[in-house]
Amino acid sequence: MAGGTEAFPDLGKHCQFSGCHQLDFLPFKCQACRKVFCLEHKSCKSHECPKLEHNSRKVIICEICSTSIEITGKEDQEKMILEKHEKSGDCDPRKKKKPTCPVRRCKETLTFSNRTVCKACGLEVCLKHRFPADHACKQVSSSAPAAARGGWNDKFLAAFNLRNGKDCGKSGRSSSSTTPSLKAY
């Protein structure tokens, strides 16, 4: 069956799936059987490719250590490869458990991008509990930074008391002169 239309006979290809034969202007070529298919039948499963195992790749997860193992080829090799993995020294059940946030009722898994260490107590927590008030921070000692102990609050209160009720915006100016700096005409 030739592709294209009467005006453009070389434009597009017909789907080679039996029962479809749709004219597709952007056809897909199967890497295994080298036939041309439409968008609906482009995957090996959808057009029941006889050479499915040619370049098929599958990843299985070991239930013992949660390691991912890539398999190329037939599916009957899956059990054999898992047994080989278990017998090798790479399969370690301690690898399975990933660290979680120690805050009560938080089940967030600590990964590279969502963990932080509290500067006050040194506890490693998730980003939701990064502030000391969120993880019931127990401050380590008096050698902790002043900001972590609340020293910044004392400095603020001392500066606030120095004002003695004065308006900061009018310091150095006489309060009686209310002449505007710009004149309106």
Side-chain angles (χ1 to χ4, degrees):
M1 192 179 276
T5 62
E6 290 179 11
F8 301 101
D10 296 329
L11 187 63
K13 301 274 184 190
H14 286 277
C15 179
Q16 292 180 331
F17 183 69
S18 61
C20 180
H21 303 293
Q22 175 184 350
L23 177 61
D24 197 333
F25 296 109
L26 295 170
F28 295 91
K29 190 172 188 178
C30 178
Q31 297 295 320
C33 66
R34 303 282 185 208
K35 291 184 178 180
V36 177
F37 297 100
C38 64
L39 178 65
E40 186 179 343
H41 300 110
K42 74 175 186 176
S43 69
C44 289
K45 287 186 179 182
S46 65
H47 71 263
E48 300 162 1
C49 186
K51 299 180 182 179
L52 182 61
E53 293 86 24
H54 174 67
N55 274 339
S56 66
R57 292 172 40 186
K58 185 177 181 182
V59 176
I60 55 173
I61 308 293
C62 177
E63 293 180 9
I64 298 171
C65 64
S66 298
T67 303
S68 57
I69 305 164
E70 183 180 359
I71 296 177
T72 55
K74 299 180 180 176
E75 292 183 15
D76 57 348
Q77 296 177 351
E78 188 174 321
K79 289 182 182 178
M80 182 180 70
I81 290 175
L82 277 174
E83 288 174 5
K84 185 179 176 183
H85 170 71
E86 288 176 21
K87 290 177 184 174
S88 72
D90 297 336
C91 190
D92 187 8
R94 291 176 288 177
K95 292 181 184 177
K96 185 171 185 169
K97 188 173 182 182
K98 301 204 172 162
T100 58
C101 181
V103 176
R104 189 175 178 204
R105 295 190 192 120
C106 182
K107 297 177 183 176
E108 186 74 28
T109 303
L110 297 178
T111 62
F112 172 75
S113 61
N114 79 337
R115 71 173 62 186
T116 185
V117 177
C118 178
K119 292 178 182 174
C121 66
L123 189 65
E124 193 170 41
V125 294
C126 69
L127 291 178
K128 293 180 203 169
H129 301 107
R130 66 186 177 267
F131 299 113
D134 294 336
H135 67 267
C137 183
K138 297 177 183 82
Q139 295 167 352
V140 180
S141 65
S142 61
S143 65
R149 290 191 320 260
W152 65 270
N153 196 19
D154 296 335
K155 291 177 185 176
F156 172 76
L157 290 175
F160 187 70
N161 287 334
L162 287 175
R163 279 184 41 192
N164 291 331
K166 296 177 186 173
D167 190 5
C168 291
K170 294 184 178 179
S171 62
R173 286 190 240 152
S174 62
S175 59
S176 61
S177 67
T178 58
T179 57
S181 59
L182 295 175
K183 294 182 180 180
Y185 291 102

